[in-house]
Amino acid sequence: MNNTTSPEVRFRTVDGVRIRYAESRAVQEPTILLTSPWPESLYAFAPVWGALSRHARLFAVDLPGFGASERRDDLLSPRAMGEFLAQLIVQADLGTPHIVAPDVGTAAALFAAADHPELIASLVVGAGGTAVPLELGEPLASWVIDPDLDKYRRMDPRAIVNAAMDSHAAGVPDDIRADYLASYDGDRFAESMRYVRRYPEELPVLAELLPGIGTPVTVIASSDDHVVPLANAEFLDARLPISRMVVIESGHFAWEETPEQYAGIILDSIARTRS
């Protein structure tokens, strides 16, 4: 990968967990904190890295248990991950960043905004389960509610990740696909499922907190997302006091399928908060 336009990764320890991250410093302000989608890694942001890094300092992270970051079982829930994000902001000296948290990062970032509003300038979320009752398509719905987790431990994780990557309308470069496959090899995919399996317990808690979140939130929804349907974005937009919903023509992985539009929405959202 060309590191002038793609994330160049490093490792550090935050809250006792070894995490993989990437940082750009050509522009110092504003700061954008990007959290890895699933079953991908921070390399999912390679298509938007160049466009965003021309206007902001970027800090992308593989969340604990995802990508190449170390797993810690007590962090595998949205609210606990929200606390981790707060710790990361402080320990990595990120100031008051704008958080871009698609997919599994959505609920975590919203919990962080509810519990630590002073740490976050704005949020860009979407493509993550948030609706109550659950509104999820396959295979995510089964990953969340299937009582037999051992069944997934017996599956080949490479087949699961490859199936997800094959659904990309734009395709995934071989080197990035290889990183995704390595990130969830062995038991890492099955163990990462523990996070989304907390949705039935924690999303109702989040729903009660949404009306009290004063952080500006942009919700990006994809018209052709059959994994996390539009109802999830609508659920957030109806309950958050300062929000806007932007619907784009894309599948679930909009950050890779429509990167120019996705980056443009992020930069516009930041400009709205700074004007």
Side-chain angles (χ1 to χ4, degrees):
M1 282 167 283
N2 181 352
N3 288 325
T4 62
T5 57
S6 295
E8 182 175 2
V9 300
R10 300 177 178 87
F11 289 86
R12 67 183 295 161
T13 298
V14 175
D15 194 24
V17 182
R18 187 172 186 264
I19 60 162
R20 183 172 70 169
Y21 74 100
E23 189 169 14
S24 73
R25 289 185 174 272
V27 178
Q28 292 301 308
E29 292 291 340
T31 297
I32 302 176
L33 169 59
L34 305 106
T35 69
S36 57
W38 180 60
E40 299 184 304
S41 74
L42 59 79
Y43 280 114
F45 299 116
V48 299
W49 195 260
L52 294 179
S53 62
R54 288 193 291 271
H55 301 278
R57 171 194 177 193
L58 307 184
F59 190 103
V61 62
D62 283 342
L63 296 171
F66 298 92
S69 289
E70 181 183 16
R71 181 177 75 243
R72 200 175 81 199
D73 289 349
D74 66 301
L75 292 178
L76 291 179
S77 77
R79 190 158 209 173
M81 198 68 80
E83 283 298 316
F84 173 82
L85 287 176
Q87 291 286 330
L88 174 64
I89 290 168
V90 173
Q91 293 186 28
D93 194 23
L94 299 182
T96 309
H98 302 267
I99 298 183
V100 175
D103 197 72
V104 291
T106 290
L110 289 166
F111 269 121
D115 294 335
H116 302 280
E118 73 284 358
L119 294 178
I120 302 168
S122 72
L123 298 179
V124 177
V125 298
T130 51
V132 179
L134 293 173
E135 291 273 358
L136 302 173
E138 294 296 346
L140 181 57
S142 293
W143 294 351
V144 171
I145 64 175
D146 192 329
D148 185 10
L149 182 59
D150 286 338
K151 175 173 68 179
Y152 298 96
R153 290 195 177 98
R154 294 189 294 269
M155 291 181 179
D156 178 3
R158 297 177 64 85
I160 297 173
V161 174
N162 271 323
M165 297 308 100
D166 289 344
S167 69
H168 279 56
V172 180
D174 290 344
D175 53 353
I176 293 180
R177 182 188 289 251
D179 184 77
Y180 297 165
L181 292 170
S183 294
Y184 298 98
D185 203 10
D187 69 348
R188 284 185 59 86
F189 179 80
E191 293 302 318
S192 69
M193 290 176 65
R194 292 181 180 276
Y195 179 93
V196 297
R197 292 168 76 83
R198 295 292 295 276
Y199 281 2
E201 173 188 350
E202 294 206 346
L203 292 186
V205 177
L206 178 61
E208 293 296 321
L209 295 173
L210 293 176
I213 295 176
T215 305
V217 182
T218 294
V219 186
I220 301 179
S222 297
S223 59
D224 298 322
D225 189 344
H226 303 297
V227 177
V228 181
L230 187 62
N232 291 272
E234 293 171 338
F235 185 88
L236 293 179
D237 192 46
R239 289 161 177 80
L240 289 163
I242 308 174
S243 69
R244 66 179 185 127
M245 184 175 70
V246 182
V247 181
I248 59 179
E249 293 185 8
S250 177
H252 177 71
F253 302 97
W255 43 92
E256 289 161 299
E257 295 179 19
T258 54
E260 291 185 6
Q261 188 175 7
Y262 196 85
I265 295 169
I266 293 170
L267 294 173
D268 178 63
S269 297
I270 292 172
R272 288 168 180 262
T273 66
R274 292 160 63 89
S275 61

